[in-house]
Amino acid sequence: MRKFVTARLAIPLLLCFLQAPSALAMGDNNTDKTTPDCPRGQVYDSASKKCVPDKSANLSDTDKTHYAYHLAKKGEYQAALNLLDSLKNSNTAEAWNYRGYATRKLGRTDEGIGYYQRALALKPDYAQAREYLGEAWMVKGRPDLAGEQLKAIAGICGQGCEEYQDLQAAINGHPES
């Protein structure tokens, strides 16, 4: 009887362990939870709710921009930059911010700072760009400039918003993973 109960419990337990890695892999790594992973060379199209070729004429710059950020948050920085290079209008705050994020993560911090500044020139109250600019200043050893961005974020969304808390953590020596 004991072997029967053990075997009967082992199968669901085993299935649980086998499914856990795929469930964790579906995690968003801080990207938009509604953006699924697409095969290489494809982008999630919000209108059709499916992955389409990245060269699709109907694919919006907004979808490409959001998917580029999704790629960057997954660590696919060069793929994100390549997708951003294909935008019809790359002069948006989001496109500059995500370009800054990807280049900073590739170790090109000065270049990333320039992109964040371009994003903020278009949209001064863009808290995420200020957070990432502050994180870049921390990489450069400039906590004073990071602190300026933290103050600006507090004025935009308060001390409770994610951008404020993330930059505060970076300033305190606990940068994002």
Side-chain angles (χ1 to χ4, degrees):
M1 175 76 167
R2 184 180 225 174
K3 285 183 182 180
F4 176 74
V5 171
T6 304
R8 197 168 165 193
L9 291 175
I11 292 171
L13 191 56
L14 179 62
L15 289 174
C16 231
F17 282 114
L18 291 174
Q19 292 298 321
S22 62
L24 292 172
M26 292 186 326
D28 64 356
N29 274 345
N30 295 326
T31 61
D32 182 0
K33 289 178 174 49
T34 63
T35 304
D37 289 329
C38 294
R40 188 171 302 278
Q42 293 190 5
V43 172
Y44 182 71
D45 176 26
S46 64
S48 67
K49 305 275 191 253
K50 62 182 181 179
C51 296
V52 299
D54 60 9
K55 307 266 189 265
S56 174
N58 295 333
L59 192 59
S60 72
D61 274 0
T62 299
D63 282 341
K64 285 183 175 184
T65 301
H66 289 155
Y67 200 74
Y69 184 58
H70 176 76
L71 290 170
K73 290 301 279 189
K74 290 183 358 169
E76 298 180 33
Y77 309 121
Q78 192 57 56
L81 292 172
N82 293 345
L83 187 55
L84 290 169
D85 286 342
S86 73
L87 297 176
K88 292 175 189 129
N89 176 18
S90 61
N91 192 31
T92 66
E94 291 76 15
W96 288 122
N97 183 42
Y98 302 156
R99 183 175 293 283
Y101 181 85
T103 55
R104 173 172 60 100
K105 291 297 191 171
L106 285 170
R108 300 178 349 226
T109 306
D110 290 330
E111 185 180 348
I113 288 170
Y115 295 139
Y116 296 137
Q117 290 170 334
R118 287 177 128 176
L120 292 168
L122 293 172
K123 189 175 174 182
D125 64 345
Y126 192 1
Q128 186 183 58
R130 291 194 176 279
E131 172 199 341
Y132 290 163
L133 177 57
E135 290 172 359
W137 286 127
M138 289 303 296
V139 169
K140 298 289 291 177
R142 295 294 310 266
D144 56 323
L145 296 177
E148 289 177 15
Q149 296 308 312
L150 189 66
K151 287 178 191 168
I153 293 169
I156 296 166
C157 58
Q159 294 181 2
C161 68
E162 181 180 355
E163 292 85 355
Y164 183 94
Q165 292 176 357
D166 288 351
L167 181 53
Q168 182 68 65
I171 290 170
N172 291 339
H174 307 288
E176 67 180 345
S177 56

